[in-house]
Amino acid sequence: MGVRPVRPLIVTEDLVLLDDLLRLCAAAGAEPEVHHTVPEHRTAWTDPPLVLVGDDAAARCRDATRRPGVLLVGRTPDDPGVWRHAVEIGAEGVLILPDAEGRLVDLIADAVEGADGQALTVGVIGGRGGAGASTLACALALAAARAGQRTLLVDGDPLGGGLDVLLGGERTEGRRWPDFAASKGRVAGGALEESLPSVRGLRILSWDRGDPVSVPPEAMRSVLAAARRRDGVVVVDLPRTIDAAATEALAQLDLGLLLVPGELRAVAAAHRVAMAVGTVLGDLRAVVRGPYAPGLDERWIADALRLPLAGELPYEPELTTAGDGGAPPGADTRGGLARFCTAFWERVLTPERAG
């Protein structure tokens, strides 16, 4: 079986429209094929991930093989015939420039990046300070990478000290958050991934050791959207303070894990965190770890928080002391932390996402 082409197809004789479409393809990181009518070879029409038909060329495409991913593009918003032309060629939609330029750039980039399978995105947040959320996030990412998933770990906590340090990758070359702080609009998923440090089989977006840098909500939105645009797994370590940037991160999660130590004060603190997170994230689950205060167990704590129980973490000192020069958290596959993470992915990864 051949490799699916990743070049979109443009069909138009309108030179002004063609210039616009070439410019938008360049903005999306795509190099298109251009034809004035339906290509002579059938596969040149059926194989491209996206076909952009200019409204001037619609009549010449009426008899083309029907296929998904065809869009009719024009520049006249009040033309009543444009929708009739779209139906005649089996187009999935009509885009009128210049108003739809941003939408079209997204569609082109999604098509060439194969965005029909988004990454499963999981966030981890501590119920109280020092709960071990960053350690759990790292261990989850390592377990996903060991399972053969394309894995990206995102450090969403600017005050956490850097997840690259936890993984022993602080000296690894690659871009950090300060390089993306000014990001606006679309960030290409492939380019983002290739620019990040590669540590222990996964890519990581962390902080550097320079002056504190504020990541605006727009940058968080753009970077996380790019990170999750490709298949696999994205793990996000979240701060306990839900500011505007953290809210953007929460909005892109498929599910969140609230790590709660087995003590009453931690449960009280976690309740406040859960209430704040729950205003944005619909699927929040409790992960409970011992040792437990008298009368408490994992079921009691999950019930008190009114959250589904994602599992119990066996007590291990590394949950709160990782990052002091030893092995990365969860690197020992025989330990309870690694076993928890492996079991978690086995439960939440569907057969379509696995492997």
Side-chain angles (χ1 to χ4, degrees):
M1 182 180 293
V3 178
R4 184 186 184 196
V6 293
R7 301 177 69 180
L9 171 65
I10 296 175
V11 182
T12 184
E13 284 186 322
D14 184 333
L15 295 182
V16 175
L17 179 61
L18 177 59
D19 283 344
D20 284 336
L21 293 178
L22 291 175
R23 171 175 55 82
L24 297 176
C25 283
E31 183 179 350
E33 293 277 356
V34 179
H35 289 262
H36 299 310
T37 187
V38 178
E40 180 178 347
H41 295 289
R42 181 177 181 275
T43 56
W45 168 265
T46 58
D47 286 359
L50 185 69
V51 177
L52 305 176
V53 177
D55 54 1
D56 66 294
R60 300 191 294 276
C61 297
R62 286 175 183 165
D63 298 326
T65 301
R66 295 300 173 98
R67 51 148 295 167
V70 176
L71 296 172
L72 186 65
V73 186
R75 298 186 60 85
T76 308
D78 299 324
D79 180 4
V82 68
W83 293 101
R84 175 171 52 84
H85 295 323
V87 172
E88 291 173 347
I89 66 174
E92 293 182 346
V94 175
L95 296 176
I96 303 299
L97 304 183
D99 290 349
E101 286 192 354
R103 171 65 175 154
L104 185 51
V105 169
D106 283 348
L107 290 171
I108 295 169
D110 283 346
V112 299
E113 290 187 38
D116 49 345
Q118 285 196 332
L120 177 66
T121 306
V122 177
V124 184
I125 186 168
R128 65 154 169 78
S134 296
T135 298
L136 177 57
C138 287
L140 283 168
L142 285 174
R146 282 196 300 268
Q149 294 289 325
R150 167 255 174 196
T151 305
L152 200 153
L153 175 61
V154 178
D155 190 348
D157 186 357
L159 302 180
L163 296 187
D164 54 351
V165 177
L166 269 179
L167 292 177
E170 64 270 21
R171 298 180 184 273
T172 305
E173 292 293 327
R175 302 180 73 183
R176 264 74 174 177
W177 263 121
D179 299 311
F180 297 98
S183 295
K184 294 181 180 179
R186 187 184 180 94
V187 176
L192 169 70
E193 186 169 349
E194 292 172 6
S195 73
L196 299 177
S198 177
V199 182
R200 295 180 177 268
L202 57 90
R203 297 282 181 167
I204 179 170
L205 175 54
S206 189
W207 304 86
D208 63 8
R209 259 50 69 186
D211 293 336
V213 174
S214 175
V215 175
E218 297 83 1
M220 181 66 74
R221 181 190 314 126
S222 297
V223 169
L224 272 185
R228 67 193 303 265
R229 199 174 291 130
R230 310 176 80 186
D231 205 1
V233 165
V234 176
V235 179
V236 185
D237 181 31
L238 295 161
R240 294 180 65 248
T241 301
I242 310 302
D243 58 11
T247 299
E248 289 292 345
L250 288 168
Q252 298 200 48
L253 299 182
D254 293 303
L255 66 93
L257 299 178
L258 180 64
L259 180 56
V260 189
E263 55 194 47
L264 282 175
R265 289 187 64 190
V267 174
H271 178 69
R272 292 192 292 270
V273 175
M275 290 182 63
V277 170
T279 63
V280 183
L281 178 62
D283 189 354
L284 180 64
R285 310 177 191 181
V287 176
V288 183
R289 70 164 177 87
Y292 295 103
L296 302 188
D297 60 23
E298 71 277 12
R299 292 288 178 186
W300 187 94
I301 291 173
D303 289 345
L305 295 172
R306 298 181 180 178
L307 295 176
L309 179 63
E312 180 190 17
L313 266 180
Y315 175 71
E316 290 184 352
E318 68 173 302
L319 273 173
T320 53
T321 61
D324 293 331
D332 180 2
T333 57
R334 299 167 300 178
L337 177 59
R339 293 198 306 271
F340 170 89
C341 294
T342 298
F344 171 79
W345 292 124
E346 289 174 351
R347 289 194 304 272
V348 301
L349 287 173
T350 65
E352 290 77 13
R353 291 184 185 270

